[in-house]
Amino acid sequence: MEVYLDCSGGISGDMTLAALAHLGVDFAPLTAALEKAGIACELDIREELRAGGPGRCADVRWRQEEQPLRHPADIAAIFNVVEVSVGVRARALAVLDALTEAEAHAHQIRPEDVHFHEVGAVDTLVDILGVCYGLECLGARRVIASPLPWFSGTTVCEHGRIPLPAPATAWLLRGKPVFSSEGEEPSRQELVTPTGAALLHALADEFANGPRGVPSALGTGYGSRPAARGLRAWLVRPEADLTGADHSMGGQEVVSQLETHLDHLTGEELGLALSALAEMPEVLDVLWLPGVGKKNRPSGLLRVLCLPVHEDMASRAVLRHTHTLGLRRQRVERLVLPRRGVSTRLAGQDMPAKLYEIEGRSYVRPEAGAVARAARAEGLGAPALRLKPEAGEGGPVE
């Protein structure tokens, strides 16, 4: 899955956080983890309707009188102890480093002397960590962003009247595609904030004029300023995820892996379920691994593979045939070898087969169904048919 950020209306930390919340991310576990790490804050997500359509706004509230976290080292220390995944932590630290370097350059000071005073440091902390956490919750392997709006105005901050883009933002915009937004924003306000630019600098894998694939959901995030447009975050399934690789050429493809533990079916019900799933043309493979589960009960792992485009259909089939109460779903990459259909001769019979290549050498494997039919016709087991010598041969060669 990819996330495409349409930044034509601007981007900031709170806008990005709100857009991910509109896409369905639940930030309650994150605020609980922050409180456990000593950051007593609340994240208020509220509905918002503007000219850009329905969306969300996000406000961070600090539940103490003062915000002691002012320096990047203080925020990094929280990132290093809060209970999040390694990936979320690494992304958050990369964004913080980018923002720190930009502010240091803007004020011509050392990075360790940067002081976040224009915005609350807790806001910065939650915006950065929340965005990284939200992307992981959505399963976003890549982040694609649109070109960024460029508005050559001025704004007033704690340092007085400064040009736009702000100095820290301008430093982060180097090497990124922009477009002129003169006349599009009558409020003449900052469209890309330093935090928004730092998020793109550290997290965006690519900049493109639009998403490539199939958009499946849209989240819109509005900032605290009354701009008509917000940040639009699209959840996109790449086309490669949906169609799979060309097996005649080989290569990599993404498949959906569905898993569940089963301990409640009778042997007959399990057999019927495996047969029904294996017969589905949308299912690539079915695997049953027996084992021992909770309370030492006989149990097993059911694993089903399919293309992502068939994930919903295969998921419903697993639920229908097993009545499991929970189904784990994930996307995994697999490497497929070049193969094509051919005909081969086995035990004096021509039958369909697959020709495939490994390390430049070709091999032929008869289709299992064809071997089974031929074996039944001769009243043999499949191994006997495979080992049966061709007519005229004197038997196997020692």
Side-chain angles (χ1 to χ4, degrees):
M1 196 70 72
E2 295 179 351
V3 167
Y4 180 79
L5 299 177
D6 178 0
C7 307
S8 57
I11 181 172
S12 63
D14 58 340
M15 291 168 70
T16 313
L17 204 64
L20 298 182
H22 197 200
L23 279 172
V25 175
D26 178 12
F27 289 102
L30 179 63
T31 54
L34 282 169
E35 184 157 9
K36 189 176 179 181
I39 302 300
C41 65
E42 295 178 356
L43 181 57
D44 179 29
I45 306 292
R46 65 181 189 278
E47 296 181 357
E48 185 80 5
L49 179 60
R50 301 185 189 177
R56 297 288 187 273
C57 279
D59 293 318
V60 179
R61 289 198 296 267
W62 174 245
R63 295 206 304 265
Q64 297 181 19
E65 293 183 1
E66 296 182 358
Q67 294 188 18
L69 303 175
R70 291 298 188 184
H71 295 281
D74 301 324
I75 298 177
I78 297 298
F79 287 170
N80 283 318
V81 299
V82 68
E83 292 181 357
V84 294
S85 72
V86 174
V88 169
R89 179 176 294 110
R91 277 179 154 180
L93 288 170
V95 177
L96 179 62
D97 286 345
L99 183 58
T100 301
E101 290 181 15
E103 293 289 350
H105 180 271
H107 300 294
Q108 291 295 287
I109 58 177
R110 298 179 305 169
E112 54 267 31
D113 294 330
V114 168
H115 189 263
F116 294 120
H117 52 80
E118 287 94 346
V119 295
V122 172
D123 290 34
T124 303
L125 184 156
V126 176
D127 288 347
I128 293 175
L129 190 64
V131 168
C132 298
Y133 172 84
L135 291 173
E136 180 178 80
C137 290
L138 293 171
R141 298 194 308 271
R142 284 168 53 82
V143 176
I144 315 298
S146 71
L148 303 170
W150 186 282
F151 179 72
S152 301
T154 61
T155 189
V156 177
C157 68
E158 189 155 328
H159 301 288
R161 184 168 293 277
I162 62 172
L164 292 176
T169 301
W171 191 83
L172 288 164
L173 289 181
R174 297 172 307 157
K176 300 170 181 62
V178 298
F179 68 92
S180 174
S181 62
E182 296 292 340
E184 294 187 14
E185 189 58 51
S187 61
R188 300 178 67 84
Q189 292 179 339
E190 188 176 29
L191 299 181
V192 180
T193 68
T195 300
L199 288 168
L200 294 175
H201 183 84
L203 302 181
D205 298 287
E206 181 183 349
F207 288 86
N209 288 323
R212 294 187 295 270
V214 180
S216 59
L218 168 64
T220 301
Y222 294 108
S224 57
R225 294 163 181 160
R229 293 191 297 169
L231 173 70
R232 308 179 87 189
W234 292 91
L235 204 55
V236 181
R237 289 187 176 182
E239 292 179 354
D241 282 9
L242 299 173
T243 58
D246 182 351
H247 287 194
S248 65
M249 301 295 294
Q252 288 185 328
E253 66 180 3
V254 175
V255 295
S256 293
Q257 183 170 282
L258 316 178
E259 288 188 351
T260 185
H261 292 163
L262 300 176
D263 63 1
H264 62 285
L265 298 180
T266 67
E268 289 180 344
E269 291 168 342
L270 177 60
L272 291 172
L274 297 178
S275 297
L277 293 170
E279 290 170 1
M280 291 179 62
E282 297 83 8
V283 169
L284 300 174
D285 198 11
V286 178
L287 178 66
W288 170 254
L289 297 172
V292 178
K294 287 176 59 178
K295 301 178 182 179
N296 293 323
R297 291 193 297 240
S299 180
L301 171 68
L302 173 64
R303 178 178 294 163
V304 176
L305 294 182
C306 64
L307 289 176
V309 70
H310 299 137
E311 183 178 287
D312 290 340
M313 183 183 300
S315 297
R316 289 195 297 271
V318 172
L319 297 175
R320 180 170 60 251
H321 292 295
T322 68
H323 281 216
T324 183
L325 300 180
L327 183 63
R328 299 180 297 279
R329 305 194 296 188
Q330 61 179 323
R331 302 287 173 86
V332 296
E333 291 186 356
R334 72 171 183 172
L335 179 66
V336 293
L337 294 175
R339 84 283 299 271
R340 58 186 176 88
V342 296
S343 178
T344 189
R345 193 165 183 82
L346 178 65
Q349 302 183 46
D350 292 326
M351 58 183 65
K354 283 190 180 74
L355 184 149
Y356 59 97
E357 296 180 8
I358 298 179
E359 298 176 336
R361 299 187 63 180
S362 297
Y363 302 87
V364 176
R365 181 187 301 169
E367 295 285 2
V371 173
R373 288 189 295 272
R376 282 197 302 269
E378 295 200 22
L380 300 172
L385 183 70
R386 179 169 57 87
L387 298 173
K388 181 180 178 181
E390 294 281 356
E393 292 182 356
V397 178
E398 297 294 332

